[in-house]
Amino acid sequence: MYLVSVGQQGQNKTCPAVPCRILKKGGAKMLITQPQTVSLMQLADLAACARNRIAQIYLHWTAGRYGQVYDDYHLNIDADGTIYRSCTSLTERKSHTWRRNTGSIGIALCGGLGAQANHGYDAELGPFAPTAAQTDRLAQILALLAVKLDLPIEPGTVMTHCEAALCDGYGPYSGDPQTRWDLWYMRDSPGDGTMKPGGQVLRGKALWYLAR
């Protein structure tokens, strides 16, 4: 994700979000014009081939519009829950999370353009906010990957980009010019619709699917 706006001590620090080519901490990403869809069954096969080779999963948004798929991520999830892949293998190295791209999978929700972080709990998620269909599909994917990759669904293995950025010094309030806050907070939807920490929402929903 590329920074759109982060509130800091009552002020907003804004950088442009460019849909075709977006500068990114550690690299750049490009829009895919003819993305390939993948089903959960096909994804299960991909994950089985990557078992014992993946240690972390990082969750993002693209900071673009619905329907725009970017190649920085192994998987993109559109507003209606459609899954797109931009890799032949989940072990392929992508530039999704600064200094955390080896042995990891990057998954992004299509959207986020125009969002403003403010203080997280009062973030303005804008016209391309995460949808209930995206949130639900991402939770299903995480549950599937947890089984196929033999990974626990916990903060050490499944993190939002914001959580990783907070650990690595470029999250909200860091003052870094390339601050990242992907999924810092999001609406618990499907659910009660309130704003909650994104990692908590997504891991919780994934654990619910895992227990079914």
Side-chain angles (χ1 to χ4, degrees):
M1 163 249 160
Y2 187 50
L3 173 68
V4 178
S5 178
V6 173
Q8 183 170 1
Q9 297 180 345
Q11 295 182 347
N12 285 336
K13 192 169 57 173
T14 305
C15 298
V18 183
C20 291
R21 184 175 180 85
I22 300 178
L23 296 178
K24 186 176 182 183
K25 195 175 187 73
K29 64 181 178 181
M30 293 295 294
L31 190 66
I32 299 174
T33 55
Q34 294 182 315
Q36 181 179 357
T37 61
V38 61
S39 67
L40 287 173
M41 185 176 296
Q42 291 169 325
L43 182 56
D45 292 337
L46 283 172
C49 293
R51 191 179 178 90
N52 299 321
R53 300 174 66 187
I54 299 297
Q56 279 91 28
I57 301 171
Y58 294 103
L59 313 177
H60 301 250
W61 61 20
T62 62
R65 296 176 169 83
Y66 300 144
Q68 292 182 324
V69 176
Y70 290 91
D71 71 351
D72 267 25
Y73 315 103
H74 296 84
L75 304 170
N76 288 243
I77 306 171
D78 210 353
D80 63 356
T82 300
I83 310 167
Y84 296 99
R85 68 166 177 163
S86 60
C87 62
T88 55
S89 168
L90 293 177
T91 61
E92 187 177 324
R93 192 177 188 277
K94 295 281 187 178
S95 298
H96 50 82
T97 311
W98 189 53
R99 293 183 174 177
R100 291 173 178 259
N101 296 313
T102 300
S104 65
I105 295 172
I107 306 174
L109 304 182
C110 300
L113 180 66
Q116 296 185 34
N118 299 325
H119 302 288
Y121 61 85
D122 60 350
E124 298 173 30
L125 299 178
F128 303 102
T131 67
Q134 283 178 312
T135 303
D136 204 44
R137 184 68 77 206
L138 179 50
Q140 292 172 5
I141 291 171
L142 291 175
L144 181 154
L145 292 178
V147 172
K148 295 297 182 180
L149 299 173
D150 192 25
L151 289 178
I153 297 176
E154 58 188 27
T157 51
V158 179
M159 304 176 70
T160 65
H161 196 180
C162 182
E163 290 173 325
L166 285 167
C167 289
D168 294 345
Y170 65 104
Y173 306 122
S174 65
D176 192 296
Q178 294 191 61
T179 295
R180 296 295 188 269
W181 63 279
D182 306 39
L183 307 176
W184 185 12
Y185 277 74
M186 62 189 298
R187 297 205 177 278
D188 185 2
S189 179
D192 61 17
T194 60
M195 292 288 281
K196 298 177 183 178
Q200 174 185 317
V201 169
L202 294 167
R203 287 187 294 268
K205 292 183 184 301
L207 286 169
W208 183 84
Y209 273 109
L210 193 60
R212 291 184 66 187

